[in-house]
Structures are given as structure tokens and as C-alpha cells.
């Protein structure tokens, strides 16, 4: 499932689809007719203000 989010963060209104950030994706795995697992991914640039995503050997998670 793909979607967008909206709300207020640090006093600023955010709305996915109207700004670069605020997008999400949920991935479901099924076993028979039941959900076996779900993985939720949120755009790392949630606020739409990052110039790039930080990555590398010294990245703190």
C-alpha cells in the first residue's frame, strides 16, 4: 500500500503529495489468508527540507 501523511511538525503544516516529503509505503506478507508480517516505510525526508539522505560507514541509526 502506498500513501501520504499530513499533520503539523515543529509548528509547520506538512502534507504529502503537496510537498517533497510525507510519503509512505506498507508492505504486507501473507500466509494463507492471514497477514504474516508488515513492514512500514516512511520517507526519510518527512519534512521535505533535507538536501540529501545521510548514509555511510559512520551513520548512527
Amino acid at each position: 500500500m502506498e500513501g501520504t501523511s499530513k499533520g503539523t511538525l515543529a509548528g509547520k503544516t506538512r502534507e504529502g503529495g503537496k510537498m517533497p516529503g510525507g510519503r509512505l509505503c506498507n508492505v504486507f506478507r501473507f500466509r494463507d489468508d492471514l497477514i504474516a508480517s508488515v513492514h512500514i516505510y516512511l520517507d526519510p525526508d518527512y519534512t521535505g527540507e533535507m538536501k540529501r539522505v545521510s548514509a555511510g560507514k559512520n551513520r548512527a541509526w
Side-chain angles (χ1 to χ4, degrees):
M1 188 232 17
E2 294 179 43
T4 58
S5 60
K6 68 179 181 178
T8 303
L9 180 65
K12 296 180 182 177
T13 301
R14 314 280 184 209
E15 188 168 353
K18 294 185 178 180
M19 52 177 270
R23 290 167 175 78
L24 60 96
C25 175
N26 294 343
V27 178
F28 295 89
R29 283 186 22 207
F30 290 86
R31 184 175 300 123
D32 299 321
D33 291 335
L34 300 175
I35 296 172
S37 66
V38 62
H39 299 270
I40 301 170
Y41 300 92
L42 181 63
D43 186 341
D45 186 11
Y46 183 76
T47 61
E49 296 175 354
M50 291 174 51
K51 302 292 184 206
R52 63 183 177 85
V53 176
S54 299
K57 293 179 181 177
N58 298 323
R59 170 101 172 140
W61 296 96

